[in-house]
Amino acid sequence: MAGTMRGAIFVGNGKVEVREFPKPEPKGTEVLVQMKASGLCGSDMHSYRNPPEYWAQASIIRGHEPGGAVAEVGDAVTMVKVGDRVSVYHAPSCGYCEACSRGEFFRCTTIGPGFRLASMKVHGSDADYVLVDQNVCFRIPDELSFEDASTIACAGGTAFQALLKADVHAGEYLLVSGLGPVGLCAVQLGKAMGGKVIGVDPIAFRREFSLQHGADYAIDPSAGNMVEQVKAITGEGAEKAIETSGNDRARVDIVWATPYHARIVYVGYGGEAKNFMLSPNLGDRWIVGSNMFTEPQYHELVRFMVRQGVRFSELVTHRFPLEQAQQAFDAFATRETGKVLFVWE
Ligand SMILES: [Zn+2]
Ligand SMILES: [Zn+2]
């Protein structure tokens, strides 16, 4: 069925436009997913302010947190059917290479880098429809909403993998540095895992919001020494810590806000984190990086959410129709939001 659809693109210096694009037609194993919720992610904001010359290279639709319903399928599709409610993993999968066989689709070596949704090569999900392969369409159970499905697709899944690596045990202190979307998901999930959660963020709105969604404490790192503030609560420090801000100072401080046997997981990245240096005297701390999540973790996260009653939709503070794409990105750029989503009726 030919036709057009709307999609939101960046045109440079924080300007966002909604334009008409051809509605894609799925072929072979491709699936056309009709968007019901599409989330804004912190990583979108790395490119939001790029200059017009950058975006003149390609008018690629933004968005990589798709939750929607299967609208059309190619003639070789066997894994989903029209009407299925799905969360779409935002990197492609060949299904066969070593990385894909481990569920690490974002490292697929067959398709290669640069083909994620909303990269410079593939249209994303801030649109009425997104075209993807059946390999990356995961059905969501009735208990979860399209908004949950959307947030699972990037922020929620990323937070979940970081928490699994941190190995949070009930009753342990869990420090979550940075309370943007990934940090807020980590707060909510970490609380449901039994952690005593300490959120850290210089923005008052985010601290207050985290306290309403699972944080037991919220610390302002700009109001005094963060390490001392954490130790005033915990004594020796937080046994588990997740850094989502990418801020150099936060990356170093988080180490000293933990005891010598802690587990520390770094998720955040950003332009400022290049000069990140750690002391060699780390005791027996486990320090690991974490990037996105795997297909097995997707299924584990969905079960966890259903059984533990975690709903990412509770983190949504702003819902916009696609026509208001400019307002949506501008609201998110204030950093005084929880999750910001585009939603469709
Ligand atoms: Zn993302
Ligand atoms: Zn692959």
Side-chain angles (χ1 to χ4, degrees):
M1 262 172 282
T4 59
M5 66 172 190
R6 300 165 307 158
I9 62 167
F10 290 164
V11 292
N13 298 337
K15 280 242 172 302
V16 186
E17 284 182 10
V18 178
R19 289 196 188 153
E20 294 280 317
F21 289 84
K23 183 178 159 190
E25 289 181 49
K27 297 181 186 68
T29 58
E30 290 171 341
V31 174
L32 190 68
V33 179
Q34 182 173 18
M35 281 306 100
K36 299 292 184 182
S38 181
L40 277 60
C41 171
S43 67
D44 290 320
M45 305 321 277
H46 297 164
S47 57
Y48 164 76
R49 290 190 185 81
N50 281 356
E53 305 84 80
Y54 180 87
W55 292 113
Q57 298 174 72
S59 295
I60 294 287
I61 298 169
R62 312 317 306 157
H64 61 268
E65 290 194 345
V70 174
E72 293 173 34
V73 296
D75 56 10
V77 168
T78 54
M79 293 158 70
V80 290
K81 60 184 190 312
V82 171
D84 281 352
R85 302 163 71 248
V86 295
S87 174
V88 178
Y89 194 98
H90 67 263
S93 164
C94 74
Y96 298 102
C97 75
E98 187 177 348
C100 286
S101 70
R102 285 195 297 264
E104 297 173 355
F105 297 164
F106 59 101
R107 300 193 197 283
C108 176
T109 53
T110 310
I111 297 168
F115 284 90
R116 297 182 188 188
L117 290 187
S119 64
M120 288 304 271
K121 293 174 180 164
V122 182
H123 284 311
S125 58
D126 294 342
D128 295 318
Y129 297 89
V130 69
L131 184 70
V132 294
D133 194 87
Q134 63 174 354
N135 282 349
V136 294
C137 291
F138 299 131
R139 274 192 298 273
I140 53 164
D142 294 342
E143 291 92 332
L144 299 185
S145 66
F146 288 117
E147 296 186 355
D148 296 322
S150 157
T151 303
I152 287 169
C154 181
T158 298
F160 189 62
Q161 171 170 282
L163 289 162
L164 294 179
K165 288 189 178 185
D167 190 26
V168 178
H169 292 215
E172 288 182 330
Y173 285 112
L174 168 67
L175 190 59
V176 178
S177 168
L179 298 171
V182 174
L184 288 171
C185 290
V187 165
Q188 214 185 14
L189 292 167
K191 181 68 173 179
M193 291 173 176
K196 292 291 279 183
V197 182
I198 305 169
V200 182
D201 200 289
I203 296 172
F205 173 88
R206 291 176 165 190
R207 291 196 303 277
E208 205 45 52
F209 194 67
S210 76
L211 289 168
Q212 295 162 19
H213 293 90
D216 297 281
Y217 307 89
I219 284 175
D220 178 1
S222 64
N225 187 307
M226 186 271 256
V227 176
E228 284 171 13
Q229 293 187 71
V230 172
K231 291 200 169 168
I233 296 166
T234 61
E236 287 195 318
E239 291 92 347
K240 303 295 160 66
I242 294 180
E243 209 304 294
T244 73
S245 75
N247 176 281
D248 282 353
R249 182 67 194 268
R251 288 182 153 223
V252 174
D253 280 357
I254 198 173
V255 175
W256 308 120
T258 66
Y260 69 91
H261 50 77
R263 275 184 186 245
I264 301 165
V265 183
Y266 289 105
V267 180
Y269 66 95
E272 299 140 41
K274 286 174 186 148
N275 305 313
F276 163 52
M277 298 273 283
L278 281 180
S279 157
N281 183 17
L282 295 170
D284 290 298
R285 290 173 178 85
W286 287 83
I287 299 187
V288 295
S290 187
N291 188 212
M292 298 217 349
F293 61 103
T294 66
E295 181 181 358
Q297 288 166 350
Y298 163 83
H299 297 294
E300 189 177 346
L301 172 56
V302 165
R303 281 195 296 275
F304 183 85
M305 289 177 70
V306 169
R307 293 177 191 172
Q308 296 296 87
V310 174
R311 297 294 182 269
F312 291 140
S313 55
E314 293 168 8
L315 299 176
V316 180
T317 54
H318 295 67
R319 295 172 175 85
F320 290 94
L322 189 63
E323 304 86 77
Q324 291 179 22
Q326 182 75 61
Q327 290 93 320
F329 282 98
D330 290 349
F332 192 48
T334 67
R335 307 173 76 206
E336 300 203 335
T337 67
K339 277 300 288 180
V340 179
L341 303 181
F342 292 116
V343 293
W344 286 256
E345 289 295 302

